Structure formats: structure tokens, C-alpha cells
Amino acid sequence: MNKELRVAAYAICVRDEQVLLARWVARDGAKRWTLPGGGMDHGEDPLDTVVREVDEETGYRCEPVRLLGLDSINRVYPRKLGMFADFHGLRIVYEGRITGGELRAETNGSTDLAAWHPLHAVDALNRVELVDVGIGLWRERPPLGRVDHPVR
């Protein structure tokens, strides 16, 4: 089994009781809402990653204002030729503030739509668990920067 590590940076941007989300498109075509963000390029600083990714996925300029925490996941995923990957994802979550730009969808990327959603309506969305983790970090601001994964 091949071991894979992916380090990524995400922003939770909340204003007027709404959260900014991007709709991720899986390889099989399934669509779920996620926090804007994504994988770090080699040598890239996580702050630069989150600013770049929010711009790419939403059209907004984002200022990271606080490191909220880290989220670590492990999964086994199928790969080509009947192989599997032991995947470890390390997700750095920042609180972000929108400072400019205009809302738009990403083109030729992993997301196809960006939108503001009322916080009270998030539970009804088809979403990845990172949305709940991000909202939990934003609400609770735990001293060690970690919330337990919600069970859905």
C-alpha cells in the first residue's frame, strides 16, 4: 500500500451569519460543499496557500486573521491497477476575512461553484466533514486547535 501525505490550508470566512463555501466535485462527479482551500505547493507557506486557494475557488481576496487549528485525517483510497493508498491529510484551518474581489466560480479546478450559506442552514447541505470541523474551530476556538470529528 502506497503512503500519501497531503498538507492543505483552508479558510473559514463568516460574515453576517453566513459562511463562504466552495462546491467540490469528486472524481465520480459527486458534489459536496467544502471550505475554500487546498493543497500546498512544494515550498509554499500555508498563509500564501490559503490566500491563493480562496482566490482561485471563490474570486475573493482573503486575509487570514487567525490560525484556528489543525485537522488530521487518515483514509484508504483505491488507486489505479487495483492498488490502494494509505492517505494522510493534514488540514490547516484559518479564520479568514474577505477584503475584496467578486464572487465567482472556479474554472478548470476541483470546485465548480462558490456561495455564501446561512450558518443555520449548513446542516441541510451535502458537505464534507471539513465544513463541520471548520465551523467547530471557529465557534469553539479550542486552546489546542482541535475539535473532534462530528459523526454524521
Side-chain angles (χ1 to χ4, degrees):
M1 188 172 312
N2 189 38
K3 293 181 179 178
E4 297 178 9
L5 172 65
R6 180 174 186 263
V7 180
Y10 296 87
I12 178 156
C13 303
V14 177
R15 70 176 186 199
D16 301 325
E17 292 301 307
Q18 295 189 331
V19 62
L20 179 63
L21 300 176
R23 193 170 64 182
W24 173 67
V25 182
R27 288 186 178 132
D28 66 1
K31 297 178 180 185
R32 295 186 291 165
W33 292 100
T34 187
L35 297 179
M40 289 175 49
D41 292 335
H42 181 78
E44 186 176 35
D45 186 277
L47 286 170
D48 296 331
T49 300
V50 75
V51 169
R52 174 180 56 77
E53 287 283 346
V54 170
D55 177 58
E56 288 175 3
E57 293 183 353
T58 71
Y60 284 127
R61 286 188 302 280
C62 174
E63 176 187 8
V65 295
R66 179 175 290 114
L67 173 64
L68 292 176
L70 302 172
D71 185 52
S72 181
I73 60 166
N74 291 97
R75 304 278 191 273
V76 174
Y77 290 118
R79 293 294 188 238
K80 293 180 182 178
L81 305 173
M83 301 295 289
F84 287 86
D86 178 0
F87 176 83
H88 178 196
L90 179 63
R91 301 168 321 179
I92 304 164
V93 182
Y94 293 96
E95 179 177 6
R97 182 171 37 130
I98 301 305
T99 60
E102 291 186 23
L103 183 64
R104 60 144 176 79
E106 180 178 27
T107 55
N108 301 319
S110 60
T111 65
D112 70 346
L113 187 63
W116 291 94
H117 295 272
L119 282 167
H120 67 80
V122 168
D123 285 348
L125 295 174
N126 187 14
R127 65 197 184 281
V128 300
E129 68 186 21
L130 181 61
V131 172
D132 298 323
V133 169
I135 290 172
L137 287 167
W138 178 77
R139 284 187 171 139
E140 298 172 27
R141 302 182 189 273
L144 296 179
R146 179 176 174 198
V147 292
D148 290 329
H149 282 270
V151 177
R152 296 193 314 148

